[in-house]
Structures are given as C-alpha cells and as structure tokens.
Amino acid sequence: TAQQHGTRTDALHQRYSSGLHMPTLLDRHIDEVSDRLLLLAPPQRLVPQAFKDVVADETEYVARLGEVQRLRGEIYFRDGAVRRDDLTRDGLHRTPEDDVSWHLLMLDDDGQVTAGMWYMEHPRAISADQLRVRHCPAGMRRESRDAFWRAVNDELRQARRGGLGYAELGGWFVVEHCRRSCDGLLLALGAFSLGRMLGGALGLTTATVRHSSSTILRKIGGEPLKGAGQVIGPYFDPQYQCEMELIRFDSRRPDARFAGSIERLKDRLATVHIVE
C-alpha cells in the first residue's frame, strides 16, 4: 500500500533487479526465519492446526501491536505519507485493519520489531463494495471506474470458483537501519506463504511507484489489476501524496524464480511463534 514506504532500499533493489542470486540469498535468511519472524493472529480467528507454536497472551499482543503502530507512524510521517493529525496524540498510526488482520513482523536480535505488514483475510461471501480497496481513487475516477469494479468483482468470482480465500495486504514498513536487509522482501514472500498456509488465496494490494514497491512485487509474482482486458494503471493518491499501483496476486502462482523460496518459507511458518 502507500504504507509500503520504506520497504525498498537502493542496494536491495539493485541486487534484485540485476538477478544476482537473490533467491539463494533469501533461502539463507528463510532457514533462520523462525527466530526472527513473529505472527499476530487476528482476534477471534481459529488458528489452523498446521501452526505449531501458538500462545494466547493478550498483554504481548497489545504491546506488539502498539510497537507496530508507533514504528509505522514514525516512518510514514517522516516519509510524508501521513500528517500529524493522522496519528494519535502519542504518535501511533492506527487503522481499522490492524484489529482484524494477521500481522507478519520481523524482529532483530534484541526482539524489537524491524519490519511489518498486515494480511487481512475476508469472508468468502464478501462483496466488492465491502473491501478496503473500495476507497481507492482508481475506483472513483471516470476513466478507470468501470474497469476497476469489473476487475475486483472478477477477482472475487475467481476466488470463489477456485475455493480460495481472498485477502488484502497493507501496512508495510521497514525501519531505516534495516533497509539494506531482506526484511521487506521476506514479508512480501511471506504473504504468498501465509496465503498457502491458510488454504490458498487471491489477494490485492496498493503499492507505491516512487519507492519501486510495485516493481518488486511484480517481479516476485504480483500482477497489475486488469478489468475487461484493461490494465488499471498507476494513479495519484491524495491521502498518501504519492503515485500508487494496484497489484493482485495468487498465492499458488508466484514467479518461478521464487516458488521454491516461498514453499520453504511456508514450511518455516509452521514453526514460527504466533501470539493471539
């Protein structure tokens, strides 16, 4: 989303774009991810039995979510994506999605959050006008409105026909001193892996153009949203003051270069610590 500000660094993007063995580098990080990745489960969500390390701890859950909202607020404010009025008095960036989503969080050696994103599952019966993306400017502009809504409805129908879940992603951030790491890319791949753990999913996110987030997401298997053969092109989002792009994904069909890494990460997710 616009909230992907900070996920891209020049060094990581250059290494990725040049194709210099990034999957191999990722696999080394994935092998160690059980010690660095933490999941917060949505309240009232029955966590699948495939996850082996699940702890009910309301105190830790609230503390971790507050840590996420504080970091996100700091990063988005510095990046110009939110105004001071968009934050709480103590600097937290709170959104309705926080309270109903999975949160994938990367931790440092001291157990502090360094990167995060949310993954919001939707009920199978959800309609297009109930999705978060309904507020997207591309769905309101005269030149793209019809194609946008046709595309979103087509995605929902495709998910139902395939017996798949449907998800929206957002809330991406990486703290500044970790922007030369693979943390942001691991989270992007983690969305594919989590979708597989939850039974398979189609999903949708809005990604910044100016930080190359949309480019990176496309290279790992995301695709521009299309309606009736028309690509829903980049658009300016006045709320976040940046150019955005709608990217859809299918957890079953990542880019072939990353299929093995995503499946490896899926296996690791089964042992990751989950707080509910």
Side-chain angles (χ1 to χ4, degrees):
T1 77
Q3 302 156 359
Q4 287 170 313
H5 288 274
T7 62
R8 178 259 191 187
T9 64
D10 289 340
L12 180 59
H13 182 60
Q14 288 168 4
R15 283 186 294 167
Y16 182 86
S17 297
S18 62
L20 294 180
H21 308 297
M22 179 58 74
T24 300
L25 175 62
L26 280 172
D27 287 345
R28 293 201 295 270
H29 286 281
I30 288 169
D31 288 340
E32 303 170 355
V33 81
S34 296
D35 296 327
R36 294 201 54 224
L37 185 61
L38 171 70
L39 267 61
L40 304 183
Q44 313 304 319
R45 172 53 156 105
L46 183 62
V47 178
Q49 292 184 351
F51 294 103
K52 306 301 183 185
D53 185 7
V54 184
V55 175
D57 188 332
E58 184 178 0
T59 300
E60 182 179 5
Y61 183 96
V62 171
R64 286 297 191 185
L65 187 56
E67 186 178 2
V68 167
Q69 293 168 334
R70 176 180 58 79
L71 287 170
R72 208 169 56 199
E74 292 173 358
I75 292 168
Y76 293 0
F77 180 73
R78 286 198 304 266
D79 209 29
V82 298
R83 301 167 299 177
R84 182 64 68 184
D85 290 347
D86 296 319
L87 308 178
T88 65
R89 293 183 61 183
D90 50 352
L92 303 184
H93 181 257
R94 289 176 172 161
T95 69
E97 294 77 24
D98 286 338
D99 298 326
V100 294
S101 300
W102 292 86
H103 291 267
L104 290 82
L105 309 177
M106 299 299 298
L107 309 179
D108 63 17
D109 292 340
D110 296 322
Q112 303 300 305
V113 175
T114 59
M117 62 165 284
W118 50 254
Y119 179 107
M120 183 167 55
E121 292 181 278
H122 289 300
R124 295 294 172 94
I126 196 165
S127 62
D129 60 2
Q130 293 174 304
L131 297 174
R132 179 181 184 272
V133 78
R134 69 184 182 277
H135 301 299
C136 174
M140 303 175 188
R141 296 185 310 181
R142 180 182 304 173
E143 61 271 27
S144 61
R145 181 173 57 224
D146 291 345
F148 169 86
W149 287 107
R150 187 177 298 114
V152 174
N153 278 298
D154 285 347
E155 290 283 299
L156 290 174
R157 281 192 292 268
Q158 183 179 340
R160 294 187 189 110
R161 286 197 302 267
L164 301 170
Y166 197 79
E168 292 181 273
L169 315 179
W172 296 59
F173 68 89
V174 178
V175 298
E176 187 171 359
H177 67 273
C178 289
R179 293 180 187 176
R180 293 184 179 274
S181 74
C182 290
D183 285 5
L185 193 51
L186 278 169
L187 290 177
L189 296 173
F192 280 83
S193 299
L194 181 59
R196 293 183 180 193
M197 289 288 288
L198 299 175
L202 301 185
L204 186 63
T205 188
T206 54
T208 59
V209 172
R210 70 185 179 191
H211 289 287
S212 298
S213 296
S214 59
T215 299
I216 293 172
L217 288 170
R218 285 198 303 272
K219 287 186 175 180
I220 66 173
E223 300 173 326
L225 185 67
K226 298 179 182 179
Q230 176 184 339
V231 173
I232 312 302
Y235 60 92
F236 181 77
D237 191 324
Q239 179 178 358
Y240 296 108
Q241 291 295 301
C242 62
E243 193 174 25
M244 309 289 293
E245 188 173 357
L246 282 157
I247 301 292
R248 53 93 61 190
F249 78 96
D250 184 334
S251 68
R252 304 166 301 174
R253 298 186 176 93
D255 185 277
R257 293 171 298 172
F258 290 92
S261 296
I262 288 170
E263 189 63 21
R264 184 190 298 257
L265 182 53
K266 172 179 172 287
D267 292 339
R268 295 298 184 274
L269 284 184
T271 63
V272 164
H273 185 59
I274 298 178
V275 180
E276 59 176 359

